[in-house]
Amino acid sequence: MRVLFTTRLPDAVIERAEQHFDVEVREDTRPLKIGQMRAALTLYDGVLPTLGDFFTADAFEGAEGSRCKVLANFGVGYNHIDVAAARAAGLMVTNTPGAVTDATADIALTLMLMTARRAGEGERLLRAGKWTGWTPTQLLGLHVTGKTVGIIGMGRIGQAIARRCHYGFGMNVVYFNRSPKDVDIEARQVETLQELASLSDFVVTAVPGGGENTYLVGEELFAAMQPHARFINIARGDVVDEDALIEALQTGQIGGAGLDVYEHEPKVPEALTKMENVALLPHLGTAALEVRERMGFVAVDNLVAALNGETPPNLVN
Ligand code: 8YV
């Protein structure tokens, strides 16, 4: 069986896949173009796509009955794949939940701390040679311990963020989730995003991108936030109306933002790059070798199951 890795993954993942398949690794780091996707569906039994490969409905046109049986996405988020179109063409789609949870929650905490304690701003000042010495009133930020975090989306990652906030920082946790959730720490579920926003010192998004979550966060939520509160997005760029976020920051409606994801990655609005109270990371959520290896192993397990005629452990369609 032949499988395609649309971009290079850690060696250990390639070696694991080679125990089962004839593996082709694409060395081009640019995402697949539509013609390349269509060709891949006819040339390989399975494809392991990543974030930037937009398998939209037209990628599956004429793919019914083609050689490829599975798209084993590298990552938990799969809003770049039209899973309904894949299914209609007879393809399974899988993802890698679990493997990404802790690392992504860690990045949420990184951004909370960076924006609260003005860490990026301080580092820029120092690197620019502008630090003239300690003073009692320099770069005063927001104290984190004991504050309230509002988490939008209480799935695996949301709960991992909640636990870190609760146990690590003695924070109060409120959350918004469309369905009830069993949460193993003290946390209050609220009915509306506005209520969550008004109660929180930190608002953190942890919902999947796409579908009904597109622009879930916008003008109304920012208007309900407190002026000192920080907004954190580690989910997907399309969950947030970036123009509304920029406006809320420019008008002082909110106190700062920490972002790991953007609407049109790798493009980041210039306005955001100019603001001192904004921490910007280049989609680092899972960027640690052992995490990327674990994600790859899970994706390979999904490929193996799917191509052996079994139901893959992380089938999403
Ligand atoms: C991955 C992510 O790096 O798992 C996810 O959904 O957003 C990232 O942390 C990315 O998906 C790799 O394709």
Side-chain angles (χ1 to χ4, degrees), residues 303-315:
L303 280 174
V304 170
L307 295 179
N308 279 320
E310 294 158 18
T311 304
N314 308 112
L315 184 65

Side-chain angles (χ1 to χ4, degrees), residues 16 22 33-34 42 61 85 90 135 181 187 211 214 273 286 291 295:
R16 177 80 64 96
D22 180 1
K33 295 196 183 85
I34 203 83
T42 64
E61 258 169 43
T135 78
K181 280 276 167 191
T214 304
T273 66
T286 55
V291 179
M295 290 162 66

Side-chain angles (χ1 to χ4, degrees), residues 1-5 13-26 44 48 300 303:
M1 298 250 196
R2 294 184 77 205
V3 303
L4 174 70
F5 283 23
V13 179
I14 297 170
E15 283 156 22
R16 177 80 64 96
E18 281 172 346
Q19 291 169 10
H20 304 271
F21 310 112
D22 180 1
V23 181
E24 182 159 337
V25 179
R26 198 170 153 263
Y44 301 92
L48 196 150
V300 170
L303 280 174

Side-chain angles (χ1 to χ4, degrees), residues 50-51 74-77 100 236 283 286 292 295:
T50 61
L51 191 65
F74 180 75
V76 69
V100 309
R236 279 290 180 268
H283 203 138
T286 55
R292 291 278 161 83
M295 290 162 66

Side-chain angles (χ1 to χ4, degrees), residues 5-313:
F5 283 23
T6 66
T7 193
R8 175 157 285 277
L9 296 183
D11 290 346
V13 179
I14 297 170
E15 283 156 22
R16 177 80 64 96
E18 281 172 346
Q19 291 169 10
H20 304 271
F21 310 112
D22 180 1
V23 181
E24 182 159 337
V25 179
R26 198 170 153 263
E27 295 300 341
D28 197 336
T29 54
R30 283 168 303 182
L32 289 180
K33 295 196 183 85
I34 203 83
Q36 294 171 311
M37 291 180 200
R38 287 189 182 141
L41 298 184
T42 64
L43 293 171
Y44 301 92
D45 300 282
V47 175
L48 196 150
T50 61
L51 191 65
D53 301 314
F54 282 92
F55 275 86
T56 48
D58 39 350
F60 300 102
E61 258 169 43
E64 215 170 316
S66 70
R67 179 169 177 173
C68 187
K69 296 290 168 267
V70 55
L71 296 183
N73 185 51
F74 180 75
V76 69
Y78 51 85
N79 58 317
H80 52 289
I81 300 174
D82 187 327
V83 291
R87 185 172 60 185
L91 271 91
M92 291 177 260
V93 178
T94 65
N95 69 345
T96 66
V100 309
T101 306
D102 287 321
T104 310
D106 291 347
I107 282 293
L109 269 292
T110 304
L111 287 169
M112 285 171 64
L113 292 168
M114 281 180 77
T115 55
R117 300 300 302 277
R118 303 173 65 178
E121 203 179 333
E123 207 206 13
R124 282 190 291 277
L125 178 99
L126 186 147
R127 283 178 187 267
K130 292 183 183 160
W131 188 37
T132 52
W134 184 89
T135 78
T137 53
Q138 186 192 36
L139 283 172
L140 299 184
L142 180 68
H143 185 51
V144 177
T145 298
K147 292 292 189 301
T148 297
V149 61
I151 301 173
I152 302 175
M154 208 51 154
R156 288 184 195 83
I157 295 172
Q159 291 187 44
I161 295 168
R163 280 193 293 274
R164 282 160 173 73
C165 292
H166 173 81
Y167 293 117
F169 298 93
M171 297 178 80
N172 306 307
V173 178
V174 298
Y175 67 95
F176 174 84
N177 200 78
R178 291 191 180 93
S179 54
K181 280 276 167 191
D182 247 345
V183 180
D184 60 11
I185 54 155
E186 197 184 315
R188 184 175 139 212
Q189 185 163 14
V190 293
E191 294 301 314
T192 65
L193 288 175
Q194 280 67 31
E195 189 183 356
L196 175 134
S198 66
L199 292 170
S200 302
D201 301 293
F202 297 89
V203 172
V204 185
T205 53
V207 287
E212 58 185 354
N213 291 338
T214 304
Y215 279 15
L216 182 67
V217 171
E219 214 178 307
E220 282 183 24
L221 181 131
F222 296 127
M225 280 175 68
Q226 305 177 63
H228 71 272
R230 276 42 169 180
F231 174 75
I232 310 295
N233 188 12
I234 51 88
R236 279 290 180 268
D238 73 341
V239 171
V240 179
D241 177 346
E242 266 175 6
D243 290 339
L245 172 64
I246 291 166
E247 175 137 7
L249 286 160
Q250 281 171 341
T251 57
Q253 209 164 40
I254 69 173
L259 308 174
D260 190 41
V261 288
Y262 307 89
E263 204 174 339
H264 304 290
E265 293 179 15
K267 284 193 195 121
V268 178
E270 206 186 338
L272 291 174
T273 66
K274 302 240 183 302
M275 294 182 203
E276 283 294 359
N277 57 344
V278 175
L280 302 170
L281 298 180
H283 203 138
L284 290 183
T286 55
L289 178 61
E290 64 184 269
V291 179
R292 291 278 161 83
E293 286 180 347
R294 225 175 301 140
M295 290 162 66
F297 295 155
V298 173
V300 170
D301 287 348
N302 282 311
L303 280 174
V304 170
L307 295 179
N308 279 320
E310 294 158 18
T311 304

